[in-house]
Amino acid sequence: MQPTADMQKQNAGSYDLVYLKQLESESIHIMREVVAEFKNPVMLYSVGKDSSVMLRLAQKAFYPGKIPFPLMHVDTGYKFPEMYEFRDNYCKEIGANLIVERNEEWIEKGAHPTRLGNDKCCWYLKTQGLLEGLRKHEFDAAFGGARRDEEKSRAKERIFSLRDEFGQWDPKNQRPELWNIYNARINDGQSVRVFPLSNWTEFDIWTYIKVENIPIVPLYFARERKVVERKGILIPVYSIDTVDPDSKVDVSESEITTMSCRFRSLGCIPCTGAIPSTAHTIDEILAEVAAAKKSERENRVIDLTSDSSMEQKKKEGYF
């Protein structure tokens, strides 16, 4: 039986906020443990909803002091204009130390999914950009906002996830983690990716955003947008030139429709589509998430290239 709107609201309203406090405490403990044990940590900031929650947790973990590590945004040059505007304004507002790293060589070469393929483009602009940024600043621990419920390769990750001297991950050779005892010991050249939101779900994230009144990029809310559909993904018409810079795909006026939609997760414009939605508020998003049958990354093209694509990217150094 499909849940009715009233059933969805009731489900969202019955959420146990005590459990949310437990998740918050665990994440704060993880952040403090990293700052105590590592020489030079950094927080990866993608400007999405999970990054926004992670940032609020960092503020709480070290209050009334400032966040004791910088934020690093690996910028592919293909983020939504609303994301850049939000990033710059919000980091300035809270006084965060923001580092922006870009693989300028491949951005100047015109790297794009339609020219290189999704995997190669992602390797040059995201993975290589990330690895070079970590090496350049000699970071030995990097916080990321990935959650185990997002995608199956993320579900395999430990909270403290070891990377070798090349920044690569071996999913078959991971350290045991007993309760809240984390192993921070690393050899020269090794580093650790840290996932303080591992045990959170998409529903937890949105509930925390609501409870804490955390600012987020407006793209997450539904509004009427002119879109075209390609392979089941809605592409806003205003971003067509970025999705298809060489104009190889014809878009006729008859294909363009105006519909209410929003972005369930945010990434690069060429690889991120919108979903049909009428959720204009966080309560409406919570009801939508409670009733969802598909993964929240249903609109992310990079997750759809093959069953092992994300795990392979993570082995190579992608977050």
Side-chain angles (χ1 to χ4, degrees):
M1 179 178 70
Q2 290 294 320
T4 65
D6 286 343
M7 290 170 64
Q8 292 165 11
K9 287 180 181 177
Q10 187 177 9
N11 187 18
S14 64
Y15 186 84
D16 185 354
L17 293 182
V18 174
Y19 176 63
L20 197 64
K21 276 294 179 186
Q22 291 173 347
L23 289 173
E24 178 190 70
S25 296
E26 179 188 61
S27 299
I28 287 175
H29 167 70
I30 292 166
M31 290 183 177
R32 289 173 176 167
E33 186 77 0
V34 168
V35 169
E37 295 289 342
F38 289 88
K39 296 177 181 175
N40 191 22
V42 65
M43 177 173 284
L44 300 183
Y45 182 58
S46 69
V47 204
K49 63 184 187 305
D50 303 302
S51 284
S52 295
V53 166
M54 201 163 52
L55 195 49
R56 174 59 56 85
L57 291 165
Q59 289 176 303
K60 284 194 166 191
F62 304 103
Y63 181 83
K66 291 186 176 180
I67 298 173
F69 41 76
L71 313 182
M72 186 166 80
H73 181 214
V74 180
D75 178 19
T76 62
Y78 289 125
K79 300 301 180 184
F80 292 88
E82 294 92 334
M83 295 176 73
Y84 289 119
E85 182 181 359
F86 180 90
R87 179 195 72 185
D88 294 341
N89 290 340
Y90 191 56
C91 287
K92 183 178 179 182
E93 179 186 326
I94 65 173
N97 176 14
L98 175 67
I99 298 170
V100 178
E101 289 293 336
R102 294 159 52 99
N103 188 341
E104 296 291 356
E105 177 187 354
W106 279 93
I107 289 175
E108 289 178 7
K109 286 180 179 178
H112 190 279
T114 60
R115 295 165 182 158
L116 298 175
N118 291 316
D119 290 346
K120 279 190 177 179
C121 183
C122 197
W123 159 252
Y124 287 123
L125 299 187
K126 286 189 170 182
T127 304
Q128 200 171 75
L130 169 62
L131 294 177
E132 288 180 358
L134 294 175
R135 275 195 293 267
K136 175 182 171 183
H137 298 282
E138 299 182 345
F139 293 124
D140 56 357
F143 293 104
R147 293 176 282 107
R148 287 179 174 138
D149 81 319
E150 280 184 277
E151 184 271 334
K152 52 193 174 186
S153 69
R154 286 181 165 93
K156 297 180 181 179
E157 289 267 27
R158 301 290 193 262
I159 290 177
F160 277 36
S161 191
L162 186 68
R163 296 297 191 268
D164 66 16
E165 61 269 36
F166 303 106
Q168 296 179 339
W169 176 57
D170 182 357
K172 295 181 179 178
N173 186 27
Q174 300 194 72
R175 295 169 165 180
E177 272 183 353
L178 304 177
W179 303 285
N180 61 350
I181 301 173
Y182 306 111
N183 186 348
R185 287 179 295 182
I186 56 175
N187 297 323
D188 288 344
Q190 292 180 333
S191 62
V192 168
R193 308 283 173 86
V194 183
F195 303 102
L197 303 181
S198 276
N199 293 329
W200 295 55
T201 65
E202 183 185 13
F203 197 88
D204 298 327
I205 291 293
W206 280 111
T207 306
Y208 196 72
I209 288 170
K210 177 187 175 184
V211 171
E212 291 286 324
N213 194 25
I214 298 173
I216 52 171
V217 181
L219 290 164
Y220 283 115
F221 296 105
R223 68 175 176 81
E224 295 287 317
R225 293 180 170 93
K226 288 187 176 181
V227 298
V228 293
E229 183 177 338
R230 287 288 182 273
K231 298 180 181 179
I233 290 178
L234 301 176
I235 301 170
V237 173
Y238 76 84
S239 63
I240 282 291
D241 290 342
T242 307
V243 174
D244 180 28
D246 301 321
S247 300
K248 291 184 177 178
V249 179
D250 290 331
V251 177
S252 65
E253 286 294 325
S254 61
E255 290 183 286
I256 300 173
T257 59
T258 299
M259 64 183 297
S260 180
C261 57
R262 71 180 189 91
F263 291 86
R264 195 173 169 193
S265 68
L266 292 175
C268 295
I269 293 174
C271 295
T272 306
I275 60 169
S277 171
T278 57
H280 300 95
T281 67
I282 292 179
D283 280 334
E284 289 171 341
I285 290 175
L286 282 167
E288 194 175 271
V289 170
K293 301 296 184 187
K294 293 183 178 179
S295 161
E296 73 181 273
R297 293 179 68 91
E298 61 178 302
N299 62 328
R300 299 289 290 275
V301 174
I302 60 170
D303 284 18
L304 307 178
T305 51
S306 75
D307 285 345
S308 62
S309 61
M310 180 56 74
E311 182 163 321
Q312 184 58 36
K313 289 183 180 72
K314 289 175 72 67
K315 288 178 181 176
E316 295 168 351
Y318 182 79
F319 223 90

